[in-house]
Amino acid sequence: MIAAPRVPLSDGSSIPQLGVGTYKVPAEVTADLVAGALAAGYRHVDTAALYGNEREVGEGLRASGLAREDVFVTTKVWNDDQGFDETLRAFDASAERLGLDRVDLYLIHWPIPSADRYLDTWRALVRLQEEDRVTSIGVSNFSPVHIERLRDETGVLPVVDQVELHPRFPQRELVEWNTQHGIVTESWAPLARGGLLDAPVLAEIAARYGKTPAQVVIRWHLDRGLVVFPKSVSLDRLRENGDVFDFTLDADDHARIATLDTGERTGRNPDLD
Ligand SMILES: NC(=O)c1ccc[n+]([C@@H]2O[C@H](COP(=O)([O-])OP(=O)(O)OC[C@H]3O[C@@H](n4cnc5c(N)ncnc54)[C@H](OP(=O)(O)O)[C@@H]3O)[C@@H](O)[C@H]2O)c1
């Protein structure tokens, strides 16, 4: 049974540190996969309007039979829906697809600085939180300069910043800045989309603990206090990814994993949009 600890958020709520990612999980397998992951002990699902599977995430939640308050659900407003009124409408549509009255965490998916609408979008998230339609509000792919603008204009800081983060691109400065501001960092593409799992250093560390390279990388995120939700279409792999609470990495392991830092992203640089 997967028993992820909860990480406190600055608004008084908390989030399970390990969850299930659903980007590129085809809609036709999503409901069964989400229900299976919840049966295996996961209590946190990360989706987005963009992923085209919110309806099926909702089906999986209901099929699990779990109480609503026992599962943490994140979704995100997509770039085309930024703006105050547009975001309120996009939220209604996401909530309807999910079949939920209230979402645990609602994020601005990307800042898109060139469109300059993320501030109005943030004001809509603040409104949704005031109306108790979302418990917590946060951002994704935001840099300190964008977060400072939200704070300066609205007085409300996001509780999380969800960014690309993995051993090849560990984002140490951003994590430090977020921590100093009480913002929890969430790692997207935590396994670098599978691209770094054949690194010999991971195989060596994994062999020492009787674990797999993916489990070592997930443990690396957890040890750093990050919130993480690896994606897999395989329930066996999701179970493997959740079997990470019976070991921790030592300082030497972390130093060796640090050698994988090449500064390479798998996705685009959000500051350049
Ligand atoms: N906010 C954003 O802009 C943003 C962007 C990207 C992602 N995300 C979120 O972050 C989540 C995770 O990121 P991601 O899906 O891009 O990448 P990821 O979790 O780093 O990697 C997923 C890949 O790793 C493979 N994999 C998973 N578990 C494995 C294991 N135990 N052994 C070997 N391979 C394994 C999967 O293959 P199989 O599926 O074939 O098992 C898939 O190809 C997303 O699903 C989404 O919820 C957010």
Side-chain angles (χ1 to χ4, degrees):
M1 194 70 173
I2 296 155
R6 294 183 78 101
V7 173
L9 301 175
S10 63
D11 61 7
S13 56
S14 64
I15 183 170
Q17 196 179 5
L18 180 72
V20 181
T22 63
Y23 181 45
K24 298 207 168 157
V25 177
E28 59 273 22
V29 304
T30 300
D32 284 349
L33 196 71
V34 167
L38 295 172
Y42 282 94
R43 291 292 179 268
H44 168 185
V45 183
D46 183 272
T47 185
L50 175 76
Y51 304 167
N53 54 21
E54 287 174 308
R55 201 170 290 286
E56 293 75 14
V57 167
E59 279 173 29
L61 295 175
R62 286 187 294 283
S64 75
L66 289 168
R68 171 67 189 92
E69 62 271 20
D70 290 338
V71 187
F72 190 103
V73 181
T74 301
T75 193
K76 316 182 188 93
V77 55
W78 183 238
N79 305 342
D80 297 344
D81 291 320
Q82 284 208 23
F84 188 83
D85 292 335
E86 295 87 339
T87 296
L88 295 180
R89 278 197 294 273
F91 177 80
D92 284 343
S94 281
E96 187 275 323
R97 285 190 294 266
L98 286 161
L100 298 177
D101 299 331
R102 184 188 53 76
V103 166
D104 297 282
L105 177 62
Y106 198 40
L107 305 181
I108 305 178
H109 207 144
W110 291 83
I112 317 291
S114 61
D116 199 19
R117 288 192 295 169
Y118 65 82
L119 189 55
D120 285 340
T121 305
W122 184 244
R123 290 193 169 105
L125 267 59
V126 172
R127 168 73 63 86
L128 288 164
Q129 189 179 37
E130 285 166 357
E131 292 175 348
D132 204 25
R133 303 209 57 207
V134 302
T135 304
S136 298
I137 54 176
V139 294
S140 179
N141 300 302
F142 273 51
S143 297
V145 63
H146 308 128
I147 295 177
E148 281 175 335
R149 188 162 169 229
L150 300 183
R151 180 197 58 195
D152 295 347
E153 297 284 341
T154 70
V156 183
L157 272 172
V159 297
V160 309
D161 188 11
Q162 181 179 128
V163 295
E164 176 170 357
L165 198 160
H166 43 74
R168 273 195 194 147
F169 189 61
Q171 297 258 36
R172 291 185 194 283
E173 269 179 41
L174 179 62
V175 172
E176 178 65 27
W177 190 90
N178 282 343
T179 303
Q180 280 168 4
H181 291 78
I183 299 168
V184 169
T185 305
E186 298 188 328
S187 307
W188 67 252
L191 304 175
R193 300 199 160 137
L196 58 70
L197 297 179
D198 55 359
V201 65
L202 295 178
E204 286 162 27
I205 296 170
R208 201 146 54 77
Y209 292 102
K211 292 288 179 183
T212 66
Q215 289 170 325
V216 168
V217 174
I218 294 163
R219 195 61 245 175
W220 175 88
H221 290 273
L222 299 174
D223 285 353
R224 294 185 64 203
L226 304 163
V227 171
V228 64
F229 26 82
K231 167 263 178 188
S232 178
V233 291
S234 146
L235 197 49
D236 283 344
R237 277 181 169 177
L238 287 182
R239 288 197 193 96
E240 172 189 329
N241 295 346
D243 182 15
V244 288
F245 295 103
D246 57 354
F247 78 115
T248 50
L249 303 173
D250 62 23
D252 182 53
D253 299 326
H254 277 279
R256 293 170 72 204
I257 294 172
T259 65
L260 297 173
D261 178 0
T262 58
E264 279 172 282
R265 298 174 186 264
T266 66
R268 60 185 202 263
N269 181 341
D271 293 346
L272 303 181
D273 284 333

